[in-house]
Amino acid sequence: MGRSIRGADGGDRLMALLPRLCIAFVVVLTVGYTIAGAIVRPNMYSDSGWGFVGWYTHDRASSFNHSLGPDHSDISREVESFMSTWTPGQHMLPGLVEDLGMSLGLAIIVVVAIFSVLGLFGWFALYRAFGFSVQTTSIALAIVACTRFFNLSFTNYSGGEVLLFGVAPWFILMAWRLRELRWSAVLPLVAGTAVLVFAKLTGLIVGAAVVGGAAICGDEAWRRWDTVRKLVVAGVAIALMGAIFYFTWYTRGATAASIPAEVHRDGLLFYISFGVGSLWSSALSLLDLSNYLFLNPGRQILQSGDAVAYAFFPLAVATYAITWMRLRHGYGEYLRFTYSISAAILAFFLLMWLTGASISFEERHFRIPSLLLFVGVVQAFTASRSWLMRIAFVAVAGLACIYGITSFATRTVANSHYPMGDRGFRQINASAEAVAFIRTIDLAGPDTKKTLIFLPSPEIALEVRNARSWSNHADFDSLKTLRSQVYRGRVDRLYVFLQKRLLSNGKADAILRSFVDYSIDGWTMVPLGDLVCFYQIRS
């Protein structure tokens, strides 16, 4: 009897210490990610590269969020355009930190660390506001801190994803506390959505869904006349959000929602399976893990990720059905709030995909609703009396944690082998020889703007500080698209960098021929590791 009592006391003390241990673990991980990122420095996805290419011309542009690039009808001139495809937060915030005197690579780490910590505090406060215990909340955040999506931007800067992670929980917390939806709530909700959009364009969808969820999450909302008033207030707020976004942003250039793409061959069946599965997988980066296991180019097992999407669907339905059954009595308002938000965001993406919008099939689009749902899943499974449910949860969460931490270590080691760019971040798509060569041709002087350096990916263009530069997306653009691009006019010095592999698939020839006022036989080629440079200099 004495042993069992002592054992129980020891177990109780361990459970009492668990929240502190989890929080300490989160702190250690986040500090470790930050230190490793600051020492090794991150690389950058091309989406973020586009933003920075525009950012470095903003001092010559006439208005906020405008950038300069070559005029396709005469490449010796520049034209100005509104940067509509990506929101300004991803490049503006690191750019402002860089202006304080540090390299861009280090500035990225500073911004990523700030928004990661801001997000951790925000999700902690939000989960507690939903009524979950410190223990459940700390377990959820300890798991989140291990995941691939959380540590990704410390090695591969993903732009708006980390910014949205940092600001979304604070907006949702505000909406939760304003869920009575008095008219006084309209202004802060609209202003808060503007902050979400500044972080990432899909913040508009999150904001609208959260406001709608707040209107219908109350007990027996369908039977209360007060719900009609809430819906009217929510409708006015959402209409203001949409109108402001439409006239100040959407009509001024292309976004993923306005660029056409092909509809998936399985149509709605695939979209529903993928969307519902992503609501389940995104909080743990399980689809990323599946892609690593089954679609790795070196040992590809599946032809596509469609089978994974279909496999995740029943797992998601079962998980959220169990969560609803176990929490419906004690956390009914939380469930209605989060499930309605998730349904609204899912409906939006289904509509976009069905109408042929070029929105990729990536689980990151569903990360915010997935994180909202995740704390409920943690509560439902860890508090279950069924050892099978607890083991299933530990197995899935444990696998996600192991994958997340090991992938961070792998990416950090890989980054250490990539060449360090002039702005202090790692160039994943440019060889050291190419980076060095750019520095020899990118010389300051009175005639520097008569040099145009054309590159096959926008983050490489950030190596150019003095000359004019531009980029296409040679890796992702089709051969048909590249052949349709035409650049007229001439400059004194034109350099065109290409990946060496493009020489054999016709893309290099298509890009060189796109400069129609240059003889195809007049190019001189310089090999630069994995890249080659073609140039023509006017005497």
Side-chain angles (χ1 to χ4, degrees), residues 203-214:
L204 176 69
I205 312 308
V206 173
V210 168
V211 173

Side-chain angles (χ1 to χ4, degrees), residues 451-527:
T451 298
L452 178 61
I453 302 176
F454 191 89
L455 296 130
S457 196
E459 74 280 3
I460 310 176
L462 301 181
E463 296 301 315
V464 181
R465 287 180 175 268
N466 301 300
R468 295 168 56 223
S469 67
W470 195 239
S471 172
N472 62 6
H473 230 160
D475 270 340
F476 301 100
D477 289 338
S478 67
L479 183 58
K480 180 180 179 181
T481 298
L482 293 175
R483 284 174 173 166
S484 68
Q485 294 171 349
V486 175
Y487 304 97
R488 299 187 182 279
R490 294 177 65 88
V491 292
D492 286 357
R493 291 168 293 276
L494 175 61
Y495 297 87
V496 179
F497 287 76
L498 301 166
Q499 291 102 334
K500 187 177 292 184
R501 61 179 177 274
L502 303 185
L503 297 175
S504 60
N505 62 12
K507 286 188 174 184
D509 181 71
I511 293 169
L512 294 177
R513 290 181 183 276
S514 67
F515 295 92
V516 294
D517 291 330
Y518 286 80
S519 169
I520 193 64
D521 299 321
W523 296 100
T524 300
M525 187 182 78
V526 179

